[in-house]
Amino acid sequence: MDSNIEQNDVNAFLNSVMKKKIIIIDDDPLVLKTIREYLKDEYDVSLARGGALAYRYLEQHHVDLIIIDFEMPGEKGDSVLLNIRKMPYAANASAIFLTGAADTKTVMEILKTKPQGYLVKPVSKEKLLEKVHEVLHKSVV
């Protein structure tokens, strides 16, 4: 019985260490909370309410994926992402944009930063998980 408890502890520890790390950057606290709820069971999720907080966090923390709002007051998401890509802990992180606008101009601006994807808000849990899984777990051929 003790070995089962110990094995469960080891599995829980390995799971927490092995979880991919995601930062969500958005100016809307409800969006941050909702997306964290969608992802927290499978991923290690951190939140930043805008670029300045994201920069501070990423000075000391590695992430595998950045989920970022395109339209934020002050510094827009494309500018934030370009700055983040210069930071050692996030330089190789994948990126998915969230946007409330699906017009051609916005999509073209998003694509200039070469993200691994974008989703239109409001996004369903299923669509978000599908896109995140696709980006983080893509098979190498």
Side-chain angles (χ1 to χ4, degrees), residues 127-140:
K127 276 193 170 191
L128 180 69
L129 286 171
E130 180 181 311
K131 179 55 82 176
V132 168
H133 192 269
E134 173 190 315
V135 169
L136 286 177
H137 304 286
K138 59 185 171 249
S139 59
V140 179

Side-chain angles (χ1 to χ4, degrees), residues 32-100:
L32 290 171
K33 181 180 176 190
T34 301
I35 303 252
R36 178 182 58 202
E37 287 300 312
Y38 288 173
L39 299 173
K40 71 178 184 179
D41 291 338
E42 292 183 51
Y43 303 99
D44 180 359
V45 181
S46 299
L47 307 176
R49 199 165 168 200
L53 292 172
Y55 300 146
R56 275 190 272 175
Y57 178 82
L58 293 169
E59 286 174 353
Q60 298 179 21
H61 298 90
H62 163 81
V63 295
D64 300 295
L65 176 64
I66 301 156
I67 298 176
I68 185 168
D69 183 19
F70 186 71
E71 292 289 335
M72 293 186 285
E75 191 175 14
K76 284 177 49 178
D78 55 347
S79 175
V80 172
L81 181 60
L82 291 173
N83 287 327
I84 287 173
R85 286 191 168 152
K86 296 174 190 169
M87 302 178 79
Y89 285 115
N92 297 317
S94 298
I96 298 172
F97 272 104
L98 295 176
T99 181

Side-chain angles (χ1 to χ4, degrees), residues 105-117:
K105 182 178 182 245
T106 301
V107 171
M108 295 308 290
E109 284 183 59
I110 288 171
L111 294 177
K112 285 180 188 175
T113 62
K114 299 182 178 153
Q116 284 61 51

